[in-house]
Amino acid sequence: MKQTSGEKTAATWRSSFRVNLIWTLGIPLFFLFTMEWIHRGTLLSDFWTTRFFPHFFGFFWGWVFLVFLYVIISQFTGKHWIATALLGILTSAAGIVTYYKLEMRGEPLLPWDFSQIGDLAGVAGHIELQIQPSMIIVGLLVLLLTFFAGQLRLPYGDGKRAWQWRLAFSGAGIFLSFLLVFGVWMQTTICQFFGIYEDMWMQDRYYKNYGIITGFFTNLRVLDIEKPEDYSEETITELVERTKANKEQNDSAVYKESYAVSTENPEQKPNIIYVMNESFWDVSRLEGVVFDRELTPNLHALMEEAAYGRCYSPSFGGGTCDVEFEALTGFSLEHPPAGSKPYQQYVTKEMFSTPQYLKSQGYETIAIHGYYRKFWSRNTAYPNLGIDTFIAAEDFSNPERRRGFISDSQMTQRIIEEYEKHEDESNSPFFVHAVTMQNHTTYDSSRYPESELVKVLEDPGFTDKTVSQLQDFATGVYEADKALGELVEYFRQVDEPTIIVFWGDHYNPLGSGYEVFEKTGYIEEGDTTSPNLRQTDLLIWSNYYSESLDLGTIAAYEISPVTMDLYGLEKPTWYDFLIQELAVMRARTRGITVEPDGTFSEEMTEEQMQWYNDHWLLQYDYMFGEPYQEDYVEHSD
């Protein structure tokens, strides 16, 4: 039977509609998997059995969101090729950024990363990124699919009625996108109904289990800091009073061999110098690697006359500001959302910190940073933390540079210059917080003259590129140690009592991913969350006490309380609480508990959980609360 022209038109429309529907559903699904391929490096191995099918709805809702996004773009523009190209670019970019962030810092793309674009751009010129084959292949596929999409037409043509259909579909896409974000991903109970459970402290595992899109949007939920369930004026007052009572009942330092214990009337207002050294850790700890010289002779010598140990860092591969935030405040980043940046998001008003407290005790407070003042918003955060004077890279005149950064030796000289100027102009005690930059990632031996480069004499089979990076890094460690020696030798001759606290902020990847750590047995293969990648070297030295003391491993947020406790300095009650917490756990950082005996656990005992919750109550009160008890940050007498 012969078809009429109307029937032919209807058949053509139905055929076109089916093609449009298949393309609209299929392209987002394809790009969902290419994004995950880039992110993971492979979609083989255990992806399907341990990730995709057990956590199906994480990926399903990610696909649905991409469908809505495709509909919005294609209907608004009226062009399939534009929607295909944009969706391909967006998903590829998300996969690429997540891949590199995991490689460099151990964390994926997070919502608050967009507030840090300026800071990341500031160091982009110093970072070398290796393009993966998957990125090239996906890029070519995006171009190919965009070409084919250019041959497709929407089924309802270009007339006035077509505009009405397109506006209706794009509007529906926008509405359904918001409904998905706020009705599913932002609702804990709905997510749990679909088998999506929060794993915010192990973001790499969370994204692998549920995919980039679900991981990203569910993280929006934690941008709003929830008030602890037991938070009230009564609870805070009770905690403060309990801390004071515990101190009165057992008024002794946690470290029995400390200056505070051995001295009847400890010096109360010494000069205090913090030096947080970029990426510093004693790389000679790597087994199977032999260097052409001792890398940290000053550190090892000073361990015979100072307190020493390891700082358990909240960061890996970056996030220096996180480490200094913990060290300066005693506030743990285990409580706010993983990946958040307190300097940019929370330190927007005056806040308790070591410099703030010392300032109330009559100290002059100074910060010195070897990079630009706006980096990580230090220019606005430091004043809110009680720092009176901030000296940044802009304030150095023709400084010595190494690897393109202000050198560690130059930083030492600037600390000394500021001290001498202070000594001439003031009788007040002196606090400095210095942050170096010389050994900032990434690494390549060409950054130093050949004659000054630390050489690797033996290694367990590294590639030439890895050896090159390791030699660059080791040279930076060697020169950081030399600068530490220069600083100590100067203040050894100073009459005024002075404490120097020196530690590294975090580890960085070396070689291809974690090759250096895996091939030396420093971590098990694939164990990128190993506690060994969090323990940087820590030294607390003074020119008026010279007994060696092993501190073990402590959290970065315990550095200030421990320093004050070792030397019998008058502490705020908040720091008394943190000292008392050491008897139960030395750190709770990034999902790892450092036990008092130095072992590690992912779990917490009931007692540890109680201290952890109390820690958050007090921290919340000052960071986000009323606060009900401002006096707990003042001296406890």
Side-chain angles (χ1 to χ4, degrees), residues 349-506:
K349 59 183 177 64
E350 188 173 294
M351 185 174 291
F352 168 75
S353 70
T354 296
Q356 194 80 269
Y357 172 74
L358 292 176
K359 185 177 175 180
S360 73
Q361 303 297 302
Y363 277 73
E364 179 184 358
T365 57
I366 299 174
I368 306 174
H369 184 38
Y371 208 60
Y372 301 106
R373 65 179 60 253
K374 289 186 177 180
F375 198 56
W376 291 129
S377 301
R378 287 183 176 92
N379 60 316
T380 56
Y382 277 169
N384 286 327
L385 294 178
I387 291 173
D388 292 322
T389 304
F390 179 23
I391 299 165
E394 298 94 326
D395 303 306
F396 285 76
S397 178
N398 298 317
E400 177 190 46
R401 291 184 179 272
R402 303 286 277 171
R403 307 177 70 252
F405 298 106
I406 293 175
S407 72
D408 285 4
S409 178
Q410 183 73 70
M411 289 290 290
T412 287
Q413 293 308 309
R414 189 59 185 255
I415 293 170
I416 293 171
E417 289 173 14
E418 292 303 317
Y419 167 75
E420 291 177 344
K421 183 169 69 173
H422 164 83
E423 190 178 27
D424 291 339
E425 298 175 356
S426 174
N427 293 321
S428 63
F430 174 79
F431 172 81
V432 171
H433 171 59
V435 181
T436 75
M437 279 291 287
Q438 177 177 331
N439 215 17
H440 194 281
T441 191
T442 55
Y443 305 104
D444 184 275
S445 59
S446 63
R447 295 178 183 267
Y448 286 105
E450 181 69 20
S451 60
E452 300 174 12
L453 192 68
V454 169
K455 303 295 196 304
V456 173
L457 302 179
E458 297 179 19
D459 67 79
F462 296 150
T463 63
D464 290 344
K465 183 175 182 179
T466 296
V467 170
S468 173
Q469 292 186 14
L470 184 56
Q471 289 184 156
D472 179 10
F473 177 74
T475 305
V477 169
Y478 176 75
E479 296 199 353
D481 179 82
K482 182 180 178 183
L484 170 63
E486 293 168 354
L487 185 67
V488 166
E489 282 310 304
Y490 175 86
F491 282 97
R492 197 187 294 277
Q493 312 303 319
V494 167
D495 291 334
E496 292 184 358
T498 301
I499 299 171
I500 294 175
V501 184
F502 176 93
W503 76 98
D505 56 352
H506 56 72

Side-chain angles (χ1 to χ4, degrees), residues 280-353:
F280 184 89
W281 61 279
D282 186 0
V283 70
S284 62
R285 293 204 294 266
L286 294 173
E287 294 184 7
V289 181
V290 178
F291 298 97
D292 67 351
R293 70 197 74 175
E294 184 181 356
L295 296 181
T296 54
N298 291 296
L299 176 68
H300 290 156
L302 291 169
M303 287 164 60
E304 300 298 320
E305 56 175 285
Y308 66 91
R310 305 281 169 80
C311 162
Y312 201 89
S313 175
S315 297
F316 177 86
T320 295
C321 57
D322 295 343
V323 189
E324 64 175 309
F325 174 77
E326 285 202 349
L328 289 175
T329 63
F331 299 149
S332 170
L333 284 171
E334 185 78 352
H335 300 294
S340 58
K341 292 291 172 281
Y343 278 6
Q344 296 178 324
Q345 294 163 264
Y346 311 136
V347 191
T348 56
K349 59 183 177 64
E350 188 173 294
M351 185 174 291
F352 168 75
S353 70

Side-chain angles (χ1 to χ4, degrees), residues 172-185:
I174 293 171
F175 172 76
L176 292 172
S177 296
F178 277 91
L179 184 63
L180 175 56
V181 172
F182 293 99
V184 178
W185 283 323

